[in-house]
Structures are given as structure tokens and as C-alpha cells.
Amino acid sequence: MASNREYDQDPDVTIGIRLPIDENWTPSESTMTAAEFNIQNLLKTKYGERVAHPTFGCALASILFEQMDDSINDKVDEALNDAIDKWLPYLRIVNIDTKIDNRNRRLNISLTYALKNDPTRTNTTMIVYT
């Protein structure tokens, strides 16, 4: 079986599609790029929003409307870990950095992750949740 690096280096192999889907169904070129789109899709989906998959998503929407206090970082960490463990089990979270924008009722989340089978490759994605 080929490794992620072998697939990523083969120009004839695509890993997934870029989101949002465009008219060309543009493929993602690497496992890390596909993972980033998968993370964005998962974390921006509210529970019950996806037809036929009511448990798909993340609890960030409900956290956004809670009291913005010191416990918010723990709640965000727990929500992200739960969602990624369940729906993207091939990823390992390396770091979560949450900044609260009280004026705009927004969470700015920096999520660093790695592939479980290749922990030397990491990537960071930004999630702005409003």
C-alpha cells in the first residue's frame, strides 16, 4: 500500500475535492490540502445541518452564544477534539489557539494538525466562526 507522501508526489493522483465545490469540481493536490478542506467543512457545519447525517458537524455554533469567559478555550478545545476524533480520525491535533472577538461575537481559531501516520508533516488552518 502506498503512503500519503507517495500519493502526494504522484501528479496523476488526486486526494479529494476543494470546497466549496465549484463548477469544475477542482481536486485537491495533497493529503494535507484535502485535510484542510475537510476540517473547514466539519467545523463550520452545525449539528443537524447536514441531510441524512444529523450528527455530522461540530458544537462551535452553540459555544459562540455562550458566555465569553475564561472557560471558552476549554469548550472550543473539547468541541474540536470531539469532532475531529469522530469524523477525521486520520488527523492528530497538535495545537489549538482561540482568540475571542467579543465586539463582533466571533471566534478566531488557529488549528495546527498532523497526519497520524506522518506526524512530521503539520499544517495550520484558520477558522473564523461567526
Side-chain angles (χ1 to χ4, degrees):
M1 179 175 226
S3 71
N4 291 3
R5 285 185 193 252
E6 289 171 320
Y7 285 132
D8 290 348
Q9 293 171 354
D10 185 342
D12 295 327
V13 174
T14 57
I15 307 301
I17 58 171
R18 292 180 169 271
L19 297 173
I21 298 172
D22 61 16
E23 65 276 355
N24 300 319
W25 290 69
T26 307
S28 53
E29 309 79 30
S30 71
T31 306
M32 292 303 269
T33 303
E36 181 165 357
F37 287 111
N38 291 341
I39 289 169
Q40 292 282 339
N41 182 41
L42 174 64
L43 300 184
K44 290 184 177 182
T45 301
K46 299 173 187 119
Y47 290 131
E49 183 177 5
R50 186 147 175 217
V51 176
H53 261 299
T55 61
F56 181 83
C58 186
L60 286 176
S62 62
I63 293 170
L64 188 62
F65 291 98
E66 291 185 18
Q67 190 70 20
M68 295 288 187
D69 57 20
D70 292 338
S71 69
I72 200 80
N73 290 339
D74 293 334
K75 292 175 184 176
V76 168
D77 288 0
E78 183 179 353
L80 269 59
N81 278 297
D82 288 350
I84 289 175
D85 284 348
K86 181 175 183 176
W87 294 103
L88 304 174
Y90 63 96
L91 297 177
R92 180 180 62 83
I93 295 176
V94 175
N95 186 48
I96 301 170
D97 184 31
T98 304
K99 302 281 190 247
I100 303 166
D101 181 352
N102 281 318
R103 192 178 70 167
N104 297 312
R105 300 288 302 168
R106 180 168 59 197
L107 294 174
N108 299 309
I109 304 165
S110 172
L111 176 67
T112 303
Y113 57 93
L115 300 172
K116 282 186 178 176
N117 66 355
D118 190 358
T120 61
R121 294 172 58 195
T122 62
N123 193 27
T124 301
T125 187
M126 297 297 297
I127 299 107
V128 177
Y129 206 90
T130 56

